Amino acid sequence: QKEVEQNSGPLSVPEGAIASLNCTYSDRVSQSFFWYRQYSGKSPELIMSIYSNGDKEDGRFTAQLNKASQYVSLLIRDSQPSDSATYLCAVNHRGTYKYIFGTGTRLKVLA
Amino acid sequence: DADVTQTPRNRITKTGKRIMLECSQTKGHDRMYWYRQDPGLGLRLIYYSFDVKDINKGEISDGYSVSRQAQAKFSLSLESAIPNQTALYFCATQRGQGRSEQYFGPGTRLTVT
């Protein structure tokens, strides 16, 4: 079992719809969770971090964390073609240097 | 100006050559990292440094070495490049205290022929 798992996609959604991206992790001691957006050939760009159970909203983005079920998700409201990218989930264990990255979900927003 | 810069941005080199990739940051972060990214394998950690005197191997350090010349500079060297080191290389920085995010440089696309 991979430490951080994401569906590779592509996930296709129409413009204006809500895109839902999911990530599961295996280690219960994980404490910090991050979503990055990566356009093809470019570097990962931080979208959001979340540390506590529940929802965290930032503009069109909402991160959701459920530590009991070991998953973290990212919702993108009013999806735009410019949101088409690969979304990486990253998990950090408390007290360690280590970020574990998922392999990413490719999102395609159709105009 | 970008907070994290990498040079060169693209490099083609031949098998057996020595090559250095450089990373500089103006974020004032203590921690710096080198990753490589390959299709389907995600980001893998090569080396990391918590300060100038603290350098550690990551999960795939064989064939690589690093130097932390200053808080703001962290270089990655391939002593004798081989074709399977062809990849995208990213430098990242992180504030040292508490929970904090990693911020990535623009990357170096390295091709070893």
Side-chain angles (χ1 to χ4, degrees):
Chain A
Q1 182 187 9
K2 292 182 180 178
E3 294 184 76
V4 177
E5 294 206 58
Q6 297 181 256
N7 188 316
S8 62
L11 171 66
S12 296
V13 300
E15 184 175 359
I18 296 175
S20 178
L21 305 163
N22 300 311
C23 171
T24 59
Y25 59 94
S26 60
D27 196 330
R28 288 189 172 274
V29 300
S30 301
Q31 293 290 320
S32 305
F33 307 86
F34 307 90
W35 282 101
Y36 289 83
R37 177 175 63 196
Q38 186 175 25
Y39 295 109
S40 181
K42 303 297 185 183
S43 62
E45 173 192 8
L46 180 70
I47 300 173
M48 293 187 70
S49 58
I50 185 166
Y51 307 111
S52 303
N53 278 328
D55 295 359
K56 179 180 177 183
E57 186 174 320
D58 184 358
R60 295 187 297 114
F61 300 98
T62 299
Q64 299 175 318
L65 176 61
N66 184 323
K67 290 186 177 181
S69 300
Q70 296 177 237
Y71 82 79
V72 57
S73 61
L74 179 70
L75 301 178
I76 306 174
R77 289 181 299 282
D78 189 23
S79 295
Q80 301 297 309
S82 58
D83 294 325
S84 298
T86 296
Y87 289 80
L88 306 177
C89 171
V91 172
N92 176 241
H93 302 166
R94 180 174 59 185
T96 76
Y97 68 90
K98 199 171 183 181
Y99 266 48
I100 308 296
F101 285 87
T103 53
T105 298
R106 189 157 64 96
L107 173 67
K108 296 175 70 173
V109 180
L110 308 173
Chain B
D1 289 341
D3 294 323
V4 186
T5 57
Q6 293 183 235
T7 56
R9 296 293 311 279
N10 290 282
R11 181 72 182 266
I12 300 173
T13 192
K14 294 184 183 299
T15 298
K17 294 291 187 182
R18 183 178 189 276
I19 184 169
M20 178 181 289
L21 309 183
E22 298 186 327
C23 176
S24 294
Q25 53 113 348
T26 59
K27 297 181 81 67
H29 289 171
D30 291 323
R31 300 184 177 187
M32 298 186 74
Y33 302 78
W34 276 105
Y35 291 93
R36 66 177 280 177
Q37 187 175 42
D38 301 272
L41 295 180
L43 285 158
R44 293 184 292 166
L45 182 63
I46 306 172
Y47 269 93
Y48 64 101
S49 171
F50 283 0
D51 64 38
V52 175
K53 297 181 180 179
D54 183 5
I55 295 178
N56 304 279
K57 293 181 178 180
E59 59 184 302
I60 54 162
S61 60
D62 287 349
Y64 301 95
S65 62
V66 291
S67 173
R68 185 84 183 262
Q69 301 94 326
Q71 187 207 32
K73 295 184 182 296
F74 193 34
S75 300
L76 175 72
S77 293
L78 286 67
E79 298 302 325
S80 179
I82 57 176
N84 78 358
Q85 291 177 314
T86 293
L88 260 176
Y89 289 83
F90 292 108
C91 172
T93 72
Q94 183 182 20
R95 180 167 48 88
Q97 298 299 320
R99 294 167 167 171
S100 58
E101 302 87 357
Q102 290 189 6
Y103 295 91
F104 287 81
T108 295
R109 182 174 294 280
L110 177 66
T111 303
V112 183
T113 62

